[in-house]
Amino acid sequence: MSTNKKLTTSWGAPVGDNQNSMTAGSRGPTLIQDVHLLEKLAHFNRERVPERVVHAKGAGAHGYFEVTNDVSNYTKAKVFNGVGKRTPLFIRFSTVAGELGSADTVRDPRGFAVKFYTEDGNYDIVGNNTPVFFIRDAIKFPDFIHTQKRDPQTHLKNPTAVWDFWSHSPESLHQVTILMSDRGIPATLRHMHGYGSHTFKWVNDDGEAVWVKYHFRTEQGVKNLDPELAAKLAGENPDYHTEDLFNAIDKGDFPEWKLYVQIMPFEDANSYRFDPFDVTKVWSQKDYPLIEVGRMVLNRNPENYFAEVEQATFSPGSMVPGVEASPDKMLQGRLFAYADAHRYRVGANHNQLPINRPKNEVNNYQRDGQMSFYNGGGSVYYEPNSFDGPKESPEDKQQPYSVSGVADAVAYDHFDHYTQAGDLYRLLSEEERTRLVNNIVEAMKPVKLEEIKLRQIGHFYKADPEYGTRIAEGLGLPIPQEV
């Protein structure tokens, strides 16, 4: 007796013939009553959800986080407390600007998004492999990403748009310097650090608050790719990073990162030498040293790429008790934009999918919508109610903090976009500086307008005169005379 399972339709009926369409005679035409054929074709047309506008190309893996240093004096977030405590997680790495079929080894920041499945719900740290970003206000994000995508007329990448935007946005200089340095092309996804980038607020059981930044430091060591090798790999194996991560985990070479945090006392935010919520800046580790929290280990590959990696949704707004938002303007915009992107791309019920669904019980009054599976059954569907439905827990209310000023469209108070970029340049060895300058020169050569090049050279010069001079010489343009 055969033990093979019968092929069925989506409604469970057995399929009698999966090789031939039902036709009127041997030559057809095909009959519309062949509902199995219709379902196959219709489902095939819908097998792809819209790709992410940014971070479309990515790879992911499962793992766990283990606490190695209890930080309950800083936060009541259970995921970070109790030495030895393990929390399951899923991580997605990605490039930012490329489409789903783009190459892994391009010069681009890498997304570094971690979903912790905690007993208090999912906590997402949605960062990059860089500690800063190009802009510091979310209102500029659509314009910035437009420059990274394809020209609407030529449908080609447009370096003129890229450098035009950066030259008009000097706050980008720190991130541009990182991107054009050796760190702009990681050797693998395993050989790069990750950062939460933004400032967040931690609150402990006593209601005391501090500001925090996250640092995931690779235990494999930082390694980068030579641009020529990266370009060769992009042509020969555009999925090089995806393949490397999968194969490493598959053979038991589990990648690890140590999680550290920088802690800033709450009141320091009012007196620090620049605004600590400005995501284009880093905090000095001399002022706020790294404190170890735990280790992240990736030890299991996805069973199905689409179900787990492509449908995974991350939002910095997915927080747990003990973690709260800061006034970081980029973060404030992302709190809306990321979850809204998932509602558009995957659906309003994206958190019901297995890869996104919390491990703890979910109780709310959300109902219906497309693909709603956990729909509340016949339970009470409004609140407040007299039927013992789920109620708010005042002990989990977020901690208030004071705000001041007038409601206006204003920038951060600090406008020094050059010091940290210059400090980074001066930290590099001569060999690293040469590669950085060469990378920038080659990237700027295709820019069509000389005024854009000169404006950008002026920013490099303000960061460090040698930095700007070498780029100007490489482009055959005059060295700035005044700063």
Side-chain angles (χ1 to χ4, degrees), residues 184-477:
I185 312 178
T188 79
L189 300 172
R190 300 176 293 122
H191 292 89
M192 65 182 189
H193 295 327
Y195 303 87
S197 300
H198 299 291
T199 299
F200 294 89
K201 183 168 64 167
W202 270 6
V203 181
N204 65 16
D205 277 324
D206 295 325
E208 300 165 332
V210 294
W211 303 113
V212 61
K213 278 185 177 288
Y214 296 107
H215 299 247
F216 292 88
R217 300 183 70 85
T218 176
E219 290 288 274
Q220 289 70 237
V222 172
K223 295 181 181 179
N224 305 301
L225 281 179
D226 175 81
E228 291 186 5
L229 175 58
K232 184 173 184 288
L233 287 169
E236 295 179 353
N237 185 1
D239 303 316
Y240 176 74
H241 285 166
T242 304
E243 181 181 57
D244 172 85
L245 179 67
F246 188 95
N247 289 345
I249 295 173
D250 195 49
K251 69 182 182 183
D253 183 11
F254 302 144
E256 296 190 23
W257 286 257
K258 277 190 178 178
L259 174 61
Y260 297 85
V261 292
Q262 287 179 285
I263 298 292
M264 176 183 286
F266 195 76
E267 296 303 323
D268 280 19
N270 298 323
S271 57
Y272 198 47
R273 58 181 179 269
F274 57 83
D275 198 311
F277 307 119
D278 180 349
V279 74
T280 65
K281 305 289 192 297
V282 296
W283 299 354
S284 168
Q285 292 183 23
K286 294 179 181 178
D287 297 333
Y288 305 105
L290 295 179
I291 300 171
E292 183 176 328
V293 181
R295 68 189 188 112
M296 177 176 72
V297 180
L298 304 183
N299 61 0
R300 180 163 63 90
N301 281 314
E303 290 294 321
N304 182 278
Y305 182 91
F306 180 82
E308 297 166 72
V309 182
E310 188 64 16
Q311 290 195 137
T313 59
F314 301 84
S315 169
S318 296
M319 292 181 276
V320 291
V323 182
E324 300 177 9
S326 81
D328 178 333
K329 295 182 182 186
M330 269 298 294
L331 172 62
Q332 291 284 319
R334 293 178 78 213
L335 296 177
F336 163 76
Y338 274 60
D340 190 57
H342 307 322
R343 287 187 286 267
Y344 160 73
R345 194 179 70 87
V346 187
N349 293 305
H350 63 93
N351 277 326
Q352 294 187 13
L353 293 171
I355 190 63
N356 300 317
R357 186 165 175 80
K359 304 298 184 186
N360 62 313
E361 185 177 356
V362 174
N363 300 302
N364 58 43
Y365 298 94
Q366 296 175 7
R367 293 293 186 271
D368 306 338
Q370 290 183 335
M371 306 302 289
S372 178
F373 183 72
Y374 303 95
N375 205 31
S379 63
V380 61
Y381 48 90
Y382 58 90
E383 205 276 333
N385 61 71
S386 304
F387 300 96
D388 200 29
K391 294 184 174 69
E392 68 268 19
S393 50
E395 67 272 18
D396 294 318
K397 187 177 178 181
Q398 293 199 6
Q399 190 221 42
Y401 64 93
S402 298
V403 296
S404 62
V406 297
D408 192 8
V410 294
Y412 284 104
D413 292 336
H414 296 81
F415 295 94
D416 178 5
H417 306 308
Y418 304 107
T419 296
Q420 291 197 356
D423 289 343
L424 176 57
Y425 177 81
R426 289 182 287 274
L427 279 173
L428 301 177
S429 68
E430 175 53 36
E431 292 78 11
E432 290 171 326
R433 291 186 197 183
T434 298
R435 289 193 293 269
L436 168 66
V437 169
N438 290 342
N439 290 336
I440 293 172
V441 168
E442 290 304 311
M444 290 182 67
K445 280 181 178 178
V447 174
K448 295 178 179 178
L449 296 183
E450 188 171 296
E451 66 179 84
I452 295 174
K453 297 179 183 178
L454 291 172
R455 186 163 52 240
Q456 185 65 39
I457 289 169
H459 296 319
F460 291 127
Y461 193 92
K462 290 177 183 178
D464 185 280
E466 178 192 292
Y467 192 8
T469 297
R470 293 177 68 171
I471 293 170
E473 290 173 346
L475 291 169
L477 293 171

Side-chain angles (χ1 to χ4, degrees), residues 26-179:
S26 61
R27 286 186 165 180
T30 303
L31 300 179
I32 199 171
Q33 74 180 54
D34 191 347
V35 290
H36 172 55
L37 168 68
L38 300 186
E39 184 197 31
K40 282 187 72 175
L41 297 180
H43 190 278
F44 180 76
N45 285 346
R46 294 160 175 82
E47 282 184 357
R48 295 293 176 265
V49 298
E51 73 173 41
R52 292 166 170 87
V53 177
V54 288
H55 299 278
K57 177 74 181 292
H62 297 269
Y64 63 87
F65 177 76
E66 181 179 8
V67 177
T68 56
N69 179 38
D70 186 281
V71 288
S72 55
N73 55 321
Y74 295 120
T75 177
K76 61 185 177 182
K78 295 174 185 175
V79 62
F80 299 132
N81 294 321
V83 173
K85 178 184 177 64
R86 287 192 176 187
T87 300
L89 60 81
F90 183 78
I91 187 168
R92 185 176 185 271
F93 305 101
S94 55
T95 51
V96 174
E99 300 91 352
L100 269 173
S102 59
D104 287 345
T105 57
V106 294
R107 186 174 297 279
D108 201 9
R110 265 64 182 178
F112 197 104
V114 187
K115 183 182 297 292
F116 300 89
Y117 301 99
T118 88
E119 60 262 59
D120 284 330
N122 292 349
Y123 177 38
D124 295 349
I125 297 179
V126 191
N128 287 321
N129 69 331
T130 58
V132 295
F133 197 58
F134 297 95
I135 54 176
R136 55 185 188 167
D137 193 312
I139 201 168
K140 298 182 75 169
F141 189 76
D143 297 291
F144 165 60
I145 295 302
H146 283 171
T147 72
Q148 304 295 301
K149 293 293 186 176
R150 297 182 180 274
D151 183 278
Q153 180 182 25
T154 66
H155 199 59
L156 301 172
K157 294 297 182 74
N158 185 352
T160 298
V162 170
W163 288 100
D164 191 26
F165 181 88
W166 286 344
S167 72
H168 282 291
S169 306
E171 70 268 26
S172 66
L173 190 63
H174 194 176
Q175 174 75 315
V176 169
T177 300
I178 295 174
L179 177 64

